[in-house]
Each structure stands twice: as structure tokens, then as C-alpha cells.
Amino acid sequence: DYLDWEEYMEKLLSVITVTYNARDCLKDCVESVKLLKMKYDKLIEYIVIDGGSTDGTVEIIEKYRLSGVIDWYVSEKDNGIFDAMNKGIKLSTGQIVGILNSDDFYTNEFVIEKVVNKMISENADCLYADLLYVDEINTEKVVRKWKANRGDFRLGWNPPHPTTFITKETYNKFGLYKINYKISSDYDLLFRIIHKGKVNTSYLEEYIVKMR
């Protein structure tokens, strides 16, 4: 049985994609979101934050914006990936926020449905799931599996951030990514939210994202 999402808000979930010179892989990413929007267009907001690409990425983004897949985008110089993610989170209007990087894509068109239903039914502030690493060219070829399970942040464990969804209210309470942490800001954020903040967190035991 599926919950009535319409009871919660007009734009229930925002998906943010960060790009920079991502022409060769962006199509798979956006098309995976397009499948979701075909089912739940009124409930899903799609935002792309581009770092000022020069390889034709912006032209691809504009094409998808004109077709209604991308709701809006920004293309300008930024201070790295986490700064770009913060821009997207600030722009988002959804109750739940997910981040799907330009070289990632959702495994099927039911991902958001399962994520949202589990978060609503378990009153979760944060949800994470499993991730598949795939070959850069042959994305059907799985090279490694990341079973997120549950672990101890103090021992270096953390969930894969492309499979992590966090409520906007939680971001407002705990803050955004710290851009001075060049490669570990996602670990820091989830440490603050899940380990120290002890927010209500759900684990969806399913591979929902493929990452090149």
C-alpha cells in the first residue's frame, strides 16, 4: 500500500545534480530523473547546479530545462562540489532533498516512490540506501557493491551520499556542507546529523543508485 503523497506538500522532494564539464555522462543522470518526473512531475523538483562548464554541458542542461525535465539551473563559477551542493539545497523547495551527481543515475523509476514511502511511514529525517559502482563505459557491468548497512562513524563508516535523502528541516537545523573540507564534507555532514544529532534515520536495503 502506498501513502498519499499529496497530503504532504505540492513539491515533496527536490533532486539536485551538480555538474562541471559533464557532457559525456550527464544524459544518463538526467534521463533517470526524467523517468521519475514522468510519474510524479508535480511532486518532484529537479535542480542542476553547474560550475561554469565549457564543454557543452550547459547546452544539454538548457535542452532538458526547455522540455520541463529540469525545473531550473544555475551555471557559474563556484568553490567546489560542496559549495555547489549548498547552492542547490538553498534553492530547493521540497520537503526532502536528494543529491544525484552528474556521473550517477537511479537504478529504476521506482526509487523515489520507495524512498518517500519509507521516510513518511517511518517519520524519518534521513534515509540512505545501497550503491553500485559500475564501469564508466559499460554501465551494466558492476565493479563493486556498497552495502551501506549500519556502522560506526568513529571507525570511518558513513552512508554513500548519492543514496542519502535528508529533510530540508534537518538541513535547516544542522547546517550545510562545510566547504573547507575538500573531500570529507559529506562525512562531516552525516556525522553531525546521524551520529551526533541522532536524527531518526532509515535504511532502505536496496541498490538505488549506480555510480561510475
PDB file of all heavy atoms in Angstrom, residues 2-35:
ATOM      1  N   TYR A   2       0.561   2.185  -0.870  1.00  0.00           N
ATOM      2  CA  TYR A   2       1.343   3.400  -0.966  1.00  0.00           C
ATOM      3  C   TYR A   2       0.610   4.559  -0.309  1.00  0.00           C
ATOM      4  O   TYR A   2      -0.617   4.677  -0.384  1.00  0.00           O
ATOM      5  CB  TYR A   2       1.665   3.726  -2.431  1.00  0.00           C
ATOM      6  CG  TYR A   2       2.584   2.719  -3.053  1.00  0.00           C
ATOM      7  CD1 TYR A   2       2.159   1.934  -4.115  1.00  0.00           C
ATOM      8  CD2 TYR A   2       3.874   2.557  -2.575  1.00  0.00           C
ATOM      9  CE1 TYR A   2       3.014   0.993  -4.681  1.00  0.00           C
ATOM     10  CE2 TYR A   2       4.732   1.617  -3.135  1.00  0.00           C
ATOM     11  CZ  TYR A   2       4.296   0.846  -4.191  1.00  0.00           C
ATOM     12  OH  TYR A   2       5.143  -0.085  -4.736  1.00  0.00           O
ATOM     13  N   LEU A   3       1.383   5.411   0.326  1.00  0.00           N
ATOM     14  CA  LEU A   3       0.813   6.561   1.006  1.00  0.00           C
ATOM     15  C   LEU A   3       0.411   7.629   0.003  1.00  0.00           C
ATOM     16  O   LEU A   3       0.916   7.691  -1.113  1.00  0.00           O
ATOM     17  CB  LEU A   3       1.844   7.134   1.985  1.00  0.00           C
ATOM     18  CG  LEU A   3       2.249   6.191   3.120  1.00  0.00           C
ATOM     19  CD1 LEU A   3       3.501   6.701   3.796  1.00  0.00           C
ATOM     20  CD2 LEU A   3       1.126   6.078   4.137  1.00  0.00           C
ATOM     21  N   ASP A   4      -0.503   8.491   0.410  1.00  0.00           N
ATOM     22  CA  ASP A   4      -0.945   9.593  -0.432  1.00  0.00           C
ATOM     23  C   ASP A   4       0.019  10.754  -0.260  1.00  0.00           C
ATOM     24  O   ASP A   4      -0.068  11.533   0.678  1.00  0.00           O
ATOM     25  CB  ASP A   4      -2.364  10.011  -0.030  1.00  0.00           C
ATOM     26  CG  ASP A   4      -2.900  11.112  -0.927  1.00  0.00           C
ATOM     27  OD1 ASP A   4      -2.190  11.516  -1.869  1.00  0.00           O
ATOM     28  OD2 ASP A   4      -4.021  11.578  -0.681  1.00  0.00           O
ATOM     29  N   TRP A   5       0.961  10.892  -1.193  1.00  0.00           N
ATOM     30  CA  TRP A   5       1.976  11.934  -1.093  1.00  0.00           C
ATOM     31  C   TRP A   5       1.355  13.318  -1.118  1.00  0.00           C
ATOM     32  O   TRP A   5       1.869  14.260  -0.542  1.00  0.00           O
ATOM     33  CB  TRP A   5       2.967  11.818  -2.242  1.00  0.00           C
ATOM     34  CG  TRP A   5       3.749  10.557  -2.265  1.00  0.00           C
ATOM     35  CD1 TRP A   5       3.609   9.472  -1.437  1.00  0.00           C
ATOM     36  CD2 TRP A   5       4.797  10.233  -3.160  1.00  0.00           C
ATOM     37  NE1 TRP A   5       4.508   8.512  -1.769  1.00  0.00           N
ATOM     38  CE2 TRP A   5       5.251   8.948  -2.830  1.00  0.00           C
ATOM     39  CE3 TRP A   5       5.400  10.904  -4.207  1.00  0.00           C
ATOM     40  CZ2 TRP A   5       6.283   8.318  -3.513  1.00  0.00           C
ATOM     41  CZ3 TRP A   5       6.422  10.284  -4.889  1.00  0.00           C
ATOM     42  CH2 TRP A   5       6.859   8.998  -4.549  1.00  0.00           C
ATOM     43  N   GLU A   6       0.236  13.464  -1.818  1.00  0.00           N
ATOM     44  CA  GLU A   6      -0.391  14.769  -1.972  1.00  0.00           C
ATOM     45  C   GLU A   6      -0.784  15.381  -0.632  1.00  0.00           C
ATOM     46  O   GLU A   6      -0.967  16.587  -0.512  1.00  0.00           O
ATOM     47  CB  GLU A   6      -1.637  14.661  -2.855  1.00  0.00           C
ATOM     48  CG  GLU A   6      -1.348  14.217  -4.277  1.00  0.00           C
ATOM     49  CD  GLU A   6      -0.854  15.340  -5.167  1.00  0.00           C
ATOM     50  OE1 GLU A   6      -0.638  16.448  -4.644  1.00  0.00           O
ATOM     51  OE2 GLU A   6      -0.691  15.095  -6.369  1.00  0.00           O
ATOM     52  N   GLU A   7      -0.906  14.549   0.392  1.00  0.00           N
ATOM     53  CA  GLU A   7      -1.264  15.062   1.712  1.00  0.00           C
ATOM     54  C   GLU A   7      -0.139  15.905   2.303  1.00  0.00           C
ATOM     55  O   GLU A   7      -0.366  16.719   3.193  1.00  0.00           O
ATOM     56  CB  GLU A   7      -1.555  13.906   2.675  1.00  0.00           C
ATOM     57  CG  GLU A   7      -2.809  13.120   2.350  1.00  0.00           C
ATOM     58  CD  GLU A   7      -3.030  12.010   3.355  1.00  0.00           C
ATOM     59  OE1 GLU A   7      -2.203  11.890   4.291  1.00  0.00           O
ATOM     60  OE2 GLU A   7      -4.012  11.271   3.209  1.00  0.00           O
ATOM     61  N   TYR A   8       1.085  15.722   1.811  1.00  0.00           N
ATOM     62  CA  TYR A   8       2.233  16.316   2.492  1.00  0.00           C
ATOM     63  C   TYR A   8       2.602  17.695   1.965  1.00  0.00           C
ATOM     64  O   TYR A   8       2.743  18.635   2.730  1.00  0.00           O
ATOM     65  CB  TYR A   8       3.418  15.346   2.425  1.00  0.00           C
ATOM     66  CG  TYR A   8       3.166  14.179   3.336  1.00  0.00           C
ATOM     67  CD1 TYR A   8       2.416  13.086   2.898  1.00  0.00           C
ATOM     68  CD2 TYR A   8       3.603  14.187   4.649  1.00  0.00           C
ATOM     69  CE1 TYR A   8       2.142  12.022   3.753  1.00  0.00           C
ATOM     70  CE2 TYR A   8       3.341  13.127   5.506  1.00  0.00           C
ATOM     71  CZ  TYR A   8       2.603  12.060   5.045  1.00  0.00           C
ATOM     72  OH  TYR A   8       2.314  11.019   5.894  1.00  0.00           O
ATOM     73  N   MET A   9       2.783  17.849   0.687  1.00  0.00           N
ATOM     74  CA  MET A   9       3.058  19.166   0.122  1.00  0.00           C
ATOM     75  C   MET A   9       3.101  19.085  -1.391  1.00  0.00           C
ATOM     76  O   MET A   9       3.225  18.011  -1.971  1.00  0.00           O
ATOM     77  CB  MET A   9       4.359  19.754   0.659  1.00  0.00           C
ATOM     78  CG  MET A   9       5.629  19.026   0.295  1.00  0.00           C
ATOM     79  SD  MET A   9       7.087  19.732   1.095  1.00  0.00           S
ATOM     80  CE  MET A   9       7.031  21.414   0.513  1.00  0.00           C
ATOM     81  N   GLU A  10       3.003  20.256  -2.048  1.00  0.00           N
ATOM     82  CA  GLU A  10       2.972  20.277  -3.505  1.00  0.00           C
ATOM     83  C   GLU A  10       4.276  19.745  -4.084  1.00  0.00           C
ATOM     84  O   GLU A  10       4.281  18.886  -4.955  1.00  0.00           O
ATOM     85  CB  GLU A  10       2.720  21.695  -4.000  1.00  0.00           C
ATOM     86  CG  GLU A  10       2.610  21.776  -5.511  1.00  0.00           C
ATOM     87  CD  GLU A  10       2.379  23.177  -5.999  1.00  0.00           C
ATOM     88  OE1 GLU A  10       2.205  24.076  -5.152  1.00  0.00           O
ATOM     89  OE2 GLU A  10       2.386  23.386  -7.217  1.00  0.00           O
ATOM     90  N   LYS A  11       5.407  20.283  -3.617  1.00  0.00           N
ATOM     91  CA  LYS A  11       6.702  19.764  -4.043  1.00  0.00           C
ATOM     92  C   LYS A  11       7.290  18.971  -2.888  1.00  0.00           C
ATOM     93  O   LYS A  11       7.836  19.518  -1.942  1.00  0.00           O
ATOM     94  CB  LYS A  11       7.637  20.906  -4.427  1.00  0.00           C
ATOM     95  CG  LYS A  11       7.247  21.606  -5.718  1.00  0.00           C
ATOM     96  CD  LYS A  11       7.381  20.680  -6.926  1.00  0.00           C
ATOM     97  CE  LYS A  11       7.076  21.430  -8.221  1.00  0.00           C
ATOM     98  NZ  LYS A  11       7.056  20.563  -9.396  1.00  0.00           N
ATOM     99  N   LEU A  12       7.121  17.676  -2.955  1.00  0.00           N
ATOM    100  CA  LEU A  12       7.513  16.829  -1.835  1.00  0.00           C
ATOM    101  C   LEU A  12       9.015  16.604  -1.783  1.00  0.00           C
ATOM    102  O   LEU A  12       9.610  16.558  -0.719  1.00  0.00           O
ATOM    103  CB  LEU A  12       6.796  15.489  -1.944  1.00  0.00           C
ATOM    104  CG  LEU A  12       7.080  14.451  -0.868  1.00  0.00           C
ATOM    105  CD1 LEU A  12       6.752  14.997   0.509  1.00  0.00           C
ATOM    106  CD2 LEU A  12       6.265  13.195  -1.122  1.00  0.00           C
ATOM    107  N   LEU A  13       9.662  16.488  -2.952  1.00  0.00           N
ATOM    108  CA  LEU A  13      11.060  16.092  -2.957  1.00  0.00           C
ATOM    109  C   LEU A  13      11.837  16.871  -4.023  1.00  0.00           C
ATOM    110  O   LEU A  13      11.361  17.067  -5.139  1.00  0.00           O
ATOM    111  CB  LEU A  13      11.176  14.592  -3.235  1.00  0.00           C
ATOM    112  CG  LEU A  13      12.576  14.004  -3.168  1.00  0.00           C
ATOM    113  CD1 LEU A  13      12.565  12.663  -2.442  1.00  0.00           C
ATOM    114  CD2 LEU A  13      13.146  13.826  -4.567  1.00  0.00           C
ATOM    115  N   SER A  14      13.022  17.321  -3.641  1.00  0.00           N
ATOM    116  CA  SER A  14      13.921  18.004  -4.578  1.00  0.00           C
ATOM    117  C   SER A  14      15.125  17.108  -4.853  1.00  0.00           C
ATOM    118  O   SER A  14      15.714  16.557  -3.925  1.00  0.00           O
ATOM    119  CB  SER A  14      14.409  19.334  -3.989  1.00  0.00           C
ATOM    120  OG  SER A  14      13.333  20.217  -3.749  1.00  0.00           O
ATOM    121  N   VAL A  15      15.495  16.976  -6.116  1.00  0.00           N
ATOM    122  CA  VAL A  15      16.714  16.281  -6.522  1.00  0.00           C
ATOM    123  C   VAL A  15      17.672  17.329  -7.079  1.00  0.00           C
ATOM    124  O   VAL A  15      17.292  18.140  -7.928  1.00  0.00           O
ATOM    125  CB  VAL A  15      16.443  15.202  -7.579  1.00  0.00           C
ATOM    126  CG1 VAL A  15      17.755  14.568  -8.045  1.00  0.00           C
ATOM    127  CG2 VAL A  15      15.511  14.134  -7.035  1.00  0.00           C
ATOM    128  N   ILE A  16      18.912  17.309  -6.593  1.00  0.00           N
ATOM    129  CA  ILE A  16      19.926  18.273  -7.018  1.00  0.00           C
ATOM    130  C   ILE A  16      21.056  17.531  -7.717  1.00  0.00           C
ATOM    131  O   ILE A  16      21.586  16.549  -7.189  1.00  0.00           O
ATOM    132  CB  ILE A  16      20.485  19.042  -5.807  1.00  0.00           C
ATOM    133  CG1 ILE A  16      19.376  19.845  -5.139  1.00  0.00           C
ATOM    134  CG2 ILE A  16      21.639  19.960  -6.227  1.00  0.00           C
ATOM    135  CD1 ILE A  16      19.714  20.275  -3.730  1.00  0.00           C
ATOM    136  N   THR A  17      21.426  18.006  -8.888  1.00  0.00           N
ATOM    137  CA  THR A  17      22.583  17.470  -9.599  1.00  0.00           C
ATOM    138  C   THR A  17      23.627  18.571  -9.766  1.00  0.00           C
ATOM    139  O   THR A  17      23.303  19.666 -10.213  1.00  0.00           O
ATOM    140  CB  THR A  17      22.187  16.911 -10.980  1.00  0.00           C
ATOM    141  OG1 THR A  17      21.366  15.750 -10.800  1.00  0.00           O
ATOM    142  CG2 THR A  17      23.421  16.512 -11.788  1.00  0.00           C
ATOM    143  N   VAL A  18      24.855  18.263  -9.382  1.00  0.00           N
ATOM    144  CA  VAL A  18      25.977  19.193  -9.530  1.00  0.00           C
ATOM    145  C   VAL A  18      26.795  18.769 -10.748  1.00  0.00           C
ATOM    146  O   VAL A  18      27.113  17.588 -10.902  1.00  0.00           O
ATOM    147  CB  VAL A  18      26.851  19.174  -8.257  1.00  0.00           C
ATOM    148  CG1 VAL A  18      28.141  19.941  -8.473  1.00  0.00           C
ATOM    149  CG2 VAL A  18      26.077  19.762  -7.082  1.00  0.00           C
ATOM    150  N   THR A  19      27.118  19.724 -11.612  1.00  0.00           N
ATOM    151  CA  THR A  19      27.851  19.399 -12.831  1.00  0.00           C
ATOM    152  C   THR A  19      29.029  20.335 -13.046  1.00  0.00           C
ATOM    153  O   THR A  19      29.020  21.484 -12.614  1.00  0.00           O
ATOM    154  CB  THR A  19      26.948  19.497 -14.086  1.00  0.00           C
ATOM    155  OG1 THR A  19      26.554  20.868 -14.275  1.00  0.00           O
ATOM    156  CG2 THR A  19      25.723  18.649 -13.952  1.00  0.00           C
ATOM    157  N   TYR A  20      30.030  19.811 -13.753  1.00  0.00           N
ATOM    158  CA  TYR A  20      31.111  20.640 -14.293  1.00  0.00           C
ATOM    159  C   TYR A  20      31.776  19.862 -15.420  1.00  0.00           C
ATOM    160  O   TYR A  20      32.365  18.800 -15.180  1.00  0.00           O
ATOM    161  CB  TYR A  20      32.142  21.016 -13.226  1.00  0.00           C
ATOM    162  CG  TYR A  20      33.234  21.906 -13.794  1.00  0.00           C
ATOM    163  CD1 TYR A  20      32.943  23.197 -14.215  1.00  0.00           C
ATOM    164  CD2 TYR A  20      34.527  21.430 -13.955  1.00  0.00           C
ATOM    165  CE1 TYR A  20      33.917  24.006 -14.766  1.00  0.00           C
ATOM    166  CE2 TYR A  20      35.512  22.227 -14.505  1.00  0.00           C
ATOM    167  CZ  TYR A  20      35.207  23.517 -14.914  1.00  0.00           C
ATOM    168  OH  TYR A  20      36.175  24.315 -15.474  1.00  0.00           O
ATOM    169  N   ASN A  21      31.621  20.358 -16.635  1.00  0.00           N
ATOM    170  CA  ASN A  21      32.158  19.679 -17.826  1.00  0.00           C
ATOM    171  C   ASN A  21      31.797  18.193 -17.818  1.00  0.00           C
ATOM    172  O   ASN A  21      32.665  17.315 -17.888  1.00  0.00           O
ATOM    173  CB  ASN A  21      33.666  19.876 -17.927  1.00  0.00           C
ATOM    174  CG  ASN A  21      34.027  21.315 -18.291  1.00  0.00           C
ATOM    175  OD1 ASN A  21      33.198  22.075 -18.790  1.00  0.00           O
ATOM    176  ND2 ASN A  21      35.265  21.688 -18.043  1.00  0.00           N
ATOM    177  N   ALA A  22      30.492  17.941 -17.705  1.00  0.00           N
ATOM    178  CA  ALA A  22      29.989  16.572 -17.556  1.00  0.00           C
ATOM    179  C   ALA A  22      29.194  16.115 -18.779  1.00  0.00           C
ATOM    180  O   ALA A  22      28.316  15.255 -18.673  1.00  0.00           O
ATOM    181  CB  ALA A  22      29.114  16.492 -16.308  1.00  0.00           C
ATOM    182  N   ARG A  23      29.516  16.663 -19.935  1.00  0.00           N
ATOM    183  CA  ARG A  23      28.748  16.391 -21.154  1.00  0.00           C
ATOM    184  C   ARG A  23      28.593  14.904 -21.449  1.00  0.00           C
ATOM    185  O   ARG A  23      27.507  14.446 -21.832  1.00  0.00           O
ATOM    186  CB  ARG A  23      29.455  17.067 -22.335  1.00  0.00           C
ATOM    187  CG  ARG A  23      28.800  16.847 -23.694  1.00  0.00           C
ATOM    188  CD  ARG A  23      29.701  17.356 -24.796  1.00  0.00           C
ATOM    189  NE  ARG A  23      30.974  16.633 -24.796  1.00  0.00           N
ATOM    190  CZ  ARG A  23      32.046  17.008 -25.477  1.00  0.00           C
ATOM    191  NH1 ARG A  23      32.009  18.127 -26.184  1.00  0.00           N
ATOM    192  NH2 ARG A  23      33.167  16.288 -25.444  1.00  0.00           N
ATOM    193  N   ASP A  24      29.639  14.119 -21.223  1.00  0.00           N
ATOM    194  CA  ASP A  24      29.626  12.723 -21.657  1.00  0.00           C
ATOM    195  C   ASP A  24      28.800  11.797 -20.767  1.00  0.00           C
ATOM    196  O   ASP A  24      28.456  10.696 -21.194  1.00  0.00           O
ATOM    197  CB  ASP A  24      31.064  12.197 -21.742  1.00  0.00           C
ATOM    198  CG  ASP A  24      31.870  12.888 -22.834  1.00  0.00           C
ATOM    199  OD1 ASP A  24      31.249  13.431 -23.767  1.00  0.00           O
ATOM    200  OD2 ASP A  24      33.105  12.912 -22.732  1.00  0.00           O
ATOM    201  N   CYS A  25      28.508  12.224 -19.538  1.00  0.00           N
ATOM    202  CA  CYS A  25      27.765  11.334 -18.634  1.00  0.00           C
ATOM    203  C   CYS A  25      26.437  11.927 -18.151  1.00  0.00           C
ATOM    204  O   CYS A  25      25.632  11.212 -17.544  1.00  0.00           O
ATOM    205  CB  CYS A  25      28.622  10.960 -17.426  1.00  0.00           C
ATOM    206  SG  CYS A  25      29.166  12.374 -16.442  1.00  0.00           S
ATOM    207  N   LEU A  26      26.190  13.194 -18.436  1.00  0.00           N
ATOM    208  CA  LEU A  26      25.023  13.867 -17.861  1.00  0.00           C
ATOM    209  C   LEU A  26      23.702  13.285 -18.340  1.00  0.00           C
ATOM    210  O   LEU A  26      22.732  13.234 -17.584  1.00  0.00           O
ATOM    211  CB  LEU A  26      25.093  15.362 -18.179  1.00  0.00           C
ATOM    212  CG  LEU A  26      23.974  16.240 -17.610  1.00  0.00           C
ATOM    213  CD1 LEU A  26      23.943  16.145 -16.086  1.00  0.00           C
ATOM    214  CD2 LEU A  26      24.164  17.697 -18.048  1.00  0.00           C
ATOM    215  N   LYS A  27      23.654  12.841 -19.582  1.00  0.00           N
ATOM    216  CA  LYS A  27      22.399  12.349 -20.144  1.00  0.00           C
ATOM    217  C   LYS A  27      21.818  11.207 -19.319  1.00  0.00           C
ATOM    218  O   LYS A  27      20.610  11.192 -19.029  1.00  0.00           O
ATOM    219  CB  LYS A  27      22.606  11.894 -21.594  1.00  0.00           C
ATOM    220  CG  LYS A  27      21.321  11.438 -22.288  1.00  0.00           C
ATOM    221  CD  LYS A  27      21.605  11.080 -23.744  1.00  0.00           C
ATOM    222  CE  LYS A  27      20.313  10.683 -24.467  1.00  0.00           C
ATOM    223  NZ  LYS A  27      19.768   9.398 -23.956  1.00  0.00           N
ATOM    224  N   ASP A  28      22.651  10.231 -18.935  1.00  0.00           N
ATOM    225  CA  ASP A  28      22.151   9.100 -18.145  1.00  0.00           C
ATOM    226  C   ASP A  28      21.564   9.579 -16.822  1.00  0.00           C
ATOM    227  O   ASP A  28      20.539   9.072 -16.356  1.00  0.00           O
ATOM    228  CB  ASP A  28      23.274   8.101 -17.869  1.00  0.00           C
ATOM    229  CG  ASP A  28      23.671   7.311 -19.103  1.00  0.00           C
ATOM    230  OD1 ASP A  28      22.858   7.250 -20.049  1.00  0.00           O
ATOM    231  OD2 ASP A  28      24.779   6.766 -19.131  1.00  0.00           O
ATOM    232  N   CYS A  29      22.238  10.546 -16.202  1.00  0.00           N
ATOM    233  CA  CYS A  29      21.775  11.084 -14.927  1.00  0.00           C
ATOM    234  C   CYS A  29      20.400  11.737 -15.074  1.00  0.00           C
ATOM    235  O   CYS A  29      19.459  11.416 -14.356  1.00  0.00           O
ATOM    236  CB  CYS A  29      22.799  12.095 -14.406  1.00  0.00           C
ATOM    237  SG  CYS A  29      22.309  12.962 -12.900  1.00  0.00           S
ATOM    238  N   VAL A  30      20.295  12.650 -16.022  1.00  0.00           N
ATOM    239  CA  VAL A  30      19.048  13.398 -16.193  1.00  0.00           C
ATOM    240  C   VAL A  30      17.913  12.492 -16.657  1.00  0.00           C
ATOM    241  O   VAL A  30      16.771  12.625 -16.206  1.00  0.00           O
ATOM    242  CB  VAL A  30      19.252  14.565 -17.179  1.00  0.00           C
ATOM    243  CG1 VAL A  30      17.936  15.307 -17.406  1.00  0.00           C
ATOM    244  CG2 VAL A  30      20.304  15.532 -16.658  1.00  0.00           C
ATOM    245  N   GLU A  31      18.219  11.564 -17.545  1.00  0.00           N
ATOM    246  CA  GLU A  31      17.176  10.660 -18.034  1.00  0.00           C
ATOM    247  C   GLU A  31      16.613   9.797 -16.905  1.00  0.00           C
ATOM    248  O   GLU A  31      15.424   9.452 -16.906  1.00  0.00           O
ATOM    249  CB  GLU A  31      17.718   9.770 -19.154  1.00  0.00           C
ATOM    250  CG  GLU A  31      17.919  10.493 -20.478  1.00  0.00           C
ATOM    251  CD  GLU A  31      16.615  10.861 -21.157  1.00  0.00           C
ATOM    252  OE1 GLU A  31      15.636  10.100 -21.024  1.00  0.00           O
ATOM    253  OE2 GLU A  31      16.568  11.922 -21.813  1.00  0.00           O
ATOM    254  N   SER A  32      17.450   9.438 -15.925  1.00  0.00           N
ATOM    255  CA  SER A  32      16.942   8.650 -14.797  1.00  0.00           C
ATOM    256  C   SER A  32      15.978   9.473 -13.948  1.00  0.00           C
ATOM    257  O   SER A  32      14.999   8.943 -13.415  1.00  0.00           O
ATOM    258  CB  SER A  32      18.093   8.103 -13.951  1.00  0.00           C
ATOM    259  OG  SER A  32      18.680   9.080 -13.120  1.00  0.00           O
ATOM    260  N   VAL A  33      16.238  10.767 -13.839  1.00  0.00           N
ATOM    261  CA  VAL A  33      15.305  11.645 -13.121  1.00  0.00           C
ATOM    262  C   VAL A  33      14.056  11.882 -13.964  1.00  0.00           C
ATOM    263  O   VAL A  33      12.946  11.977 -13.442  1.00  0.00           O
ATOM    264  CB  VAL A  33      15.979  12.976 -12.748  1.00  0.00           C
ATOM    265  CG1 VAL A  33      14.994  13.901 -12.039  1.00  0.00           C
ATOM    266  CG2 VAL A  33      17.190  12.731 -11.849  1.00  0.00           C
ATOM    267  N   LYS A  34      14.239  11.954 -15.266  1.00  0.00           N
ATOM    268  CA  LYS A  34      13.091  12.150 -16.173  1.00  0.00           C
ATOM    269  C   LYS A  34      12.057  11.044 -15.992  1.00  0.00           C
ATOM    270  O   LYS A  34      10.844  11.292 -16.004  1.00  0.00           O
ATOM    271  CB  LYS A  34      13.577  12.185 -17.619  1.00  0.00           C
ATOM    272  CG  LYS A  34      12.468  12.388 -18.649  1.00  0.00           C
ATOM    273  CD  LYS A  34      13.026  12.407 -20.065  1.00  0.00           C
ATOM    274  CE  LYS A  34      11.925  12.566 -21.093  1.00  0.00           C
ATOM    275  NZ  LYS A  34      12.470  12.575 -22.476  1.00  0.00           N
ATOM    276  N   LEU A  35      12.533   9.789 -15.825  1.00  0.00           N
ATOM    277  CA  LEU A  35      11.611   8.672 -15.604  1.00  0.00           C
ATOM    278  C   LEU A  35      10.771   8.892 -14.354  1.00  0.00           C
ATOM    279  O   LEU A  35       9.587   8.567 -14.309  1.00  0.00           O
ATOM    280  CB  LEU A  35      12.386   7.359 -15.490  1.00  0.00           C
ATOM    281  CG  LEU A  35      12.976   6.781 -16.773  1.00  0.00           C
ATOM    282  CD1 LEU A  35      13.833   5.565 -16.449  1.00  0.00           C
ATOM    283  CD2 LEU A  35      11.871   6.409 -17.747  1.00  0.00           C
TER     284      LEU A  35
END
